[in-house]
Amino acid sequence: MAALSGAALVLAGLLALAAIASGNTEGDILYRQRQELKDINNVLTSWDPTLVNPCTWFHVTCNSDNSVVRVDLGNASLSGSLVPELGQMVNLQYLELFGNNISGPIPATLGNLTRLVSLGLYNNRLTGMIPASLGNIGTLRFLRLNGNKLTGGIPASLGNLTKLQTLELQENMLTGMVPLDVLSLVLFGDLTELNVAKNSLAGTVKSSKTRVATIIQDTLKTTR
């Protein structure tokens, strides 16, 4: 019995150390992100890498295991670029960086955030293509990339996001056609808000099942 209790204590200790190590890793990643950003309003001054974990930092929310689940930095007048290491924050559910002056590409590594519910990068100055890897985030419900300078086509892989409710890609520089895989989410998935206006796409789409059904039929005709 005593041996069993001792084993339980050891296991509890190992779990605690694992939680601390996870917190330290996430703190390192977020501090790395802080170093890449210009913070004119000093909203990131609490991001102190010497602390055990980042759970006491402003704009950061953790779960009961002291792992980061939310980063909320909308409308914070931040500029700079996103670091690929953000894709290592495997428990992250909300990444909200909208309404800043963040530039550069969207890291493809964000596709590793397989617990992400909302990715809000709208109204920034992001460039490059929408990473196809975002189609790996099966938990994603809200994807807002509008108001940037994104180019290229809309990845067909976004059609894998069967839980997606909102997809906002308007006011970019996207080209090509809206993939049928994505359009089908309105008819057969949970997608109720789809906006791709003010791009260089062939045709426009509204959040109407009737409208999307018509577009799908027209698209099929042109591909036969």
Side-chain angles (χ1 to χ4, degrees), residues 176-178 196-206 211 215:
M177 299 185 70
V178 182
V196 296
K198 297 185 179 180
N199 281 288
S200 296
L201 295 163
T204 59
V205 178
K206 297 180 180 178
R211 171 62 176 153
I215 292 174

Side-chain angles (χ1 to χ4, degrees), residues 165-168 186 191-196 204-212:
Q165 298 174 17
T166 298
L167 177 58
E168 295 191 353
V186 178
L191 190 61
T192 57
E193 186 175 351
L194 171 60
N195 195 335
V196 296
T204 59
V205 178
K206 297 180 180 178
S207 300
S208 162
K209 291 183 184 293
T210 303
R211 171 62 176 153
V212 172

